[in-house]
Amino acid sequence: MPEVTFTQPSGERITVSADVGRSLMKVAVENLVPGIVGECGGDLSCATCHVFVDVPWVAKLPPMTAEEEQMLDVTAEEPTAASRLCCQITLTEDLDGLSLHVPETQR
Amino acid sequence: MTADSDLLIIGGGQAAGELAAALRSRDWGGSIAIVGEEDHVPYTRPPLSKAYLRGEVEAADLYLRRPDFYDRHGIAVSAGVAVADVDLEAQTVTLDDGRVRTWRKLVFATGGRPRRLPDSILRSAPNVHYIRTLADVDRLKAVRTDGASFVVVGGGYVGLEIASVLRSLDAQVTLVEAAVRLLGRVTSPVVSEFFRRLHRDRGVDVRVGTAVVEYQYSDAGNVIGAVLSDGSRIAVDQLLVGIGMVPNDELAARAGIDVDGGILVDRFCRTSANDVFAVGDVAKVTDLDGEPPRRLESMPNAVSHARVLADYLSGVEQPAVDPPWFWSDQYDIKLQSAGLVVPDDELVIRGNPDERRFSVLYLRDGVVTAVDAIGSRADYAAARKLIAQRVLVDAGIAADPGRRLLEAALASAGTTD
Ligand SMILES: Cc1cc2nc3c(=O)[nH]c(=O)nc-3n(C[C@H](O)[C@H](O)[C@H](O)COP(=O)(O)OP(=O)(O)OC[C@H]3O[C@@H](n4cnc5c(N)ncnc54)[C@H](O)[C@@H]3O)c2cc1C
Ligand code: FES
């Protein structure tokens, strides 16, 4: 099972392992990772699943759809070039070791 | 005396599941029990009339969290069991199998049930469908659709979404709405008209301002025909009724808790009884800074109540601040709404409904209070910010589709407080 690390604004690192095929948002909420809300259940309607992808991983993720890009406009914390909505990222074996930062706030 | 649970949640829907998880994520250490009538761990309903009906996702995909989540986090879920009675004095509930459970704090997360047509009009015919639960949709999915004649009674979001899926499954669909327009209670005439035309263009026979005056039955008790107020008769293979929801507040009322079209709560989800709370579709919030009491039926509302109550129980008093929001999928069109539309609002229309990409901003005294965005996530996103910040905008500038909404608004902006 691939492992993913969510680093909190405090610097605390939370590493979880999960089945491939799940969205990162689901993985985070099922492990009670603080700061990932996922209010709309992955429907690209809420932007409360915002993460900053650690730089080495940015290019390894599947590209954003136009819809995801538009919804990044509504995140509570200012998005950067490393921002993604993690409900749109499906876990694969290739993503083992993926490392992300959770924003201060999602709303 | 120790209670069976420190917190007992009646109902196992979205609000219940989110509340239990929110408490654990705040390290709330008491014991938590969920007693839910349906045979599932908490699941999310919006896909029922969308991806699940289309057959694109399975029941397990709708679960908020996997079944093992609850075990791992010390949340005892009893599925398929209803609470039959509540005793506030003794701090007990009696389950429908006769067992008695004690609690210290009690939460009503009982949601609602579909409003039924009166039995005098409609017997409980086997081909009549109401849509609220997975079981309801499974029953509908078992029915043959291609070429069959479906009559949908009620032009709200659920009825419209189901009509759109049925069309994609090659059913013949007639949609009957007694009011003069679709979605009349929740949006403006522009948006209502957009959806009427959308459904008409996709082959739905949309009859607004029309009521069913009589149902006709076969000997086996199936509905086979509907006579409409315009005098026409429509053959019926399946009848779908989507005329709203009734809050499940009777249990609370019987226990002596204040109800009035929902369980009355304050902004922290507290009911009139000590240590008793209500969240989600069943909860009617009464202290809204002078606004009339309101009960919302939406998933974000359920999630927001869960968060507010979890904060409160963890010793943080944080009332909800986000404006309400909602979405709907019909055919390839996505509607996203935020705020609440009030009849006298000034309307600003951006873009062109004919291009199936436009948004309507609702202004009250120049302040953006609501938005309906169709195929325009950017406007939706911008408007949500404007609503939350109570931004004063110039209607003329905001209407210019050549400018991005946020820029246009800021060009004319002031904030009210
Ligand atoms: C088809 C459909 C589509 C929808 N689409 C959207 C959408 O696109 N966007 C959106 O925001 N919202 C949508 N909604 C609304 C959303 O699903 C509800 O607002 C949400 O489910 C409310 O959650 P809740 O937990 O308050 O109530 P519910 O989900 O209704 O859960 C209440 C649960 O309590 C149980 N219960 C009741 N009484 C008892 C008892 N005495 N003992 C034990 N259990 C009991 C019920 O069986 C039920 O399982 C939709 C709803 C439906 C039906
Ligand atoms: S969960 Fe709502 S946008 Fe990702």
Side-chain angles (χ1 to χ4, degrees):
Chain A
M1 283 204 281
E3 288 196 343
V4 182
T5 300
F6 295 87
T7 304
Q8 294 292 313
S10 65
E12 186 197 351
R13 293 164 58 88
I14 300 175
T15 299
V16 300
S17 54
D19 291 335
V20 299
R22 311 273 299 162
S23 85
L24 284 181
M25 181 276 289
K26 277 260 160 117
V27 169
V29 301
E30 278 177 339
N31 288 283
L32 296 178
V33 173
I36 305 291
V37 183
E39 209 163 60
C40 73
D43 188 80
L44 268 186
S45 288
C46 71
T48 63
C49 60
H50 182 199
V51 291
F52 301 107
V53 179
D54 289 5
V55 172
W57 288 95
V58 172
K60 294 182 192 161
L61 295 178
M64 268 194 265
T65 58
E67 287 80 16
E68 183 181 344
E69 221 162 310
Q70 287 178 357
M71 276 310 284
L72 274 176
D73 270 357
V74 78
T75 54
E77 197 159 309
E78 209 47 46
T80 68
S83 285
R84 292 295 300 257
L85 295 176
C86 70
C87 66
Q88 300 302 302
I89 302 172
T90 304
L91 205 55
T92 60
E93 286 298 347
D94 295 349
L95 296 183
D96 185 28
L98 176 63
S99 178
L100 314 155
H101 275 72
V102 176
E104 289 280 352
T105 174
Q106 295 282 11
R107 52 171 64 85
Chain B
M1 195 191 85
T2 59
D4 294 324
S5 359
D6 293 312
L7 182 82
L8 188 140
I9 306 174
I10 309 177
Q14 182 107 35
E18 297 291 357
L19 173 62
L23 283 166
R24 287 298 181 240
S25 73
R26 285 156 180 74
D27 294 326
W28 197 81
S31 54
I32 302 177
I34 295 178
V35 180
E37 199 169 6
E38 289 181 70
D39 292 324
H40 297 278
V41 292
Y43 65 90
T44 190
R45 295 186 201 284
L48 289 180
S49 49
K50 310 178 182 78
Y52 185 71
L53 183 59
R54 287 195 298 266
E56 291 164 7
V57 297
E58 293 166 26
D61 297 323
L62 307 192
Y63 290 168
L64 298 177
R65 291 169 179 83
R66 289 200 249 209
D68 66 329
F69 168 87
Y70 301 93
D71 279 346
R72 281 192 286 123
H73 294 283
I75 300 161
V77 180
S78 310
V81 186
V83 171
D85 206 20
V86 172
D87 186 333
L88 297 180
E89 193 90 15
Q91 298 203 313
T92 59
V93 295
T94 306
L95 309 183
D96 60 356
D97 58 13
R99 285 179 296 166
V100 175
R101 289 277 174 275
T102 55
W103 46 266
R104 283 180 186 286
K105 294 187 192 310
L106 185 69
V107 181
F108 285 86
T110 46
R113 57 187 183 274
R115 170 167 292 124
R116 309 238 157 206
L117 291 169
D119 258 1
S120 54
I121 303 180
L122 193 63
R123 289 171 271 169
S124 45
N127 64 338
V128 174
H129 301 265
Y130 293 91
I131 305 296
R132 180 78 190 173
T133 64
L134 265 167
D136 293 339
V137 179
D138 286 340
R139 199 164 82 83
L140 178 61
K141 283 173 80 169
V143 162
R144 191 182 63 89
T145 51
D146 57 316
S149 168
F150 281 72
V151 172
V152 178
V153 179
Y157 284 120
V158 173
L160 292 175
E161 288 181 350
I162 289 177
S164 80
V165 178
L166 288 173
R167 282 301 296 149
S168 70
L169 300 172
D170 293 325
Q172 311 250 33
V173 182
T174 307
L175 190 135
V176 183
E177 166 59 58
V180 292
R181 57 186 177 93
L182 303 175
L183 302 170
R185 284 185 312 129
V186 290
T187 191
S188 56
V190 198
V191 176
S192 296
E193 177 59 12
F194 171 78
F195 280 109
R196 192 189 66 81
R197 287 173 56 182
L198 176 69
H199 282 272
R200 191 200 56 194
D201 292 350
R202 302 296 174 112
V204 176
D205 181 355
V206 183
R207 313 266 184 112
V208 290
T210 309
V212 179
V213 292
E214 187 197 336
Y215 292 97
Q216 300 169 331
Y217 297 90
S218 69
D219 293 341
N222 274 306
V223 177
I224 51 170
V227 180
L228 307 185
S229 55
D230 61 13
S232 56
R233 177 192 178 276
I234 300 168
V236 177
D237 290 319
Q238 304 290 332
L239 185 79
L240 257 122
V241 185
I243 52 170
M245 192 204 88
V246 183
N248 291 325
D249 62 6
E250 294 84 355
L251 190 61
R254 275 208 314 273
I257 294 162
D258 290 349
V259 307
D260 179 14
I263 302 174
L264 302 182
V265 296
D266 68 5
R267 65 185 74 192
F268 299 111
C269 300
R270 297 181 290 206
T271 69
S272 61
N274 269 341
D275 291 326
V276 181
F277 307 86
V279 289
D281 281 10
V282 78
K284 187 170 188 178
V285 184
T286 54
D287 57 342
L288 290 167
D289 296 326
E291 286 178 54
R294 74 174 176 230
R295 194 176 59 73
L296 298 176
E297 297 166 8
S298 80
M299 169 176 157
N301 177 62
V303 176
S304 157
H305 282 173
R307 192 175 71 231
V308 166
L309 181 54
D311 279 343
Y312 177 79
L313 293 173
S314 314
V316 193
E317 298 212 351
Q318 276 193 70
V321 285
D322 292 346
W325 59 276
F326 192 78
W327 74 99
S328 177
D329 294 320
Q330 295 163 47
Y331 310 100
D332 52 347
I333 299 289
K334 179 177 282 288
L335 163 81
Q336 293 172 292
S337 303
L340 294 176
V341 177
V342 173
D344 299 333
D345 288 343
E346 180 187 354
L347 266 55
V348 174
I349 298 169
R350 290 172 51 83
N352 182 351
D354 290 338
E355 289 163 11
R356 302 200 160 154
R357 203 188 150 85
F358 71 105
S359 54
V360 183
L361 298 181
Y362 301 88
L363 309 187
R364 212 167 305 152
D365 301 326
V367 177
V368 186
T369 51
V371 63
D372 284 318
I374 280 139
S376 178
R377 281 190 166 81
D379 275 10
Y380 168 71
R384 263 186 77 167
K385 289 196 169 157
L386 300 177
I387 296 166
Q389 291 163 22
R390 304 178 52 77
V391 175
L392 202 61
V393 303
D394 179 286
I397 299 179
D400 177 1
R403 301 174 78 147
R404 291 184 39 160
L405 177 57
L406 215 46
E407 284 163 22
L410 294 178
S412 65
T415 305
T416 49
D417 38 39

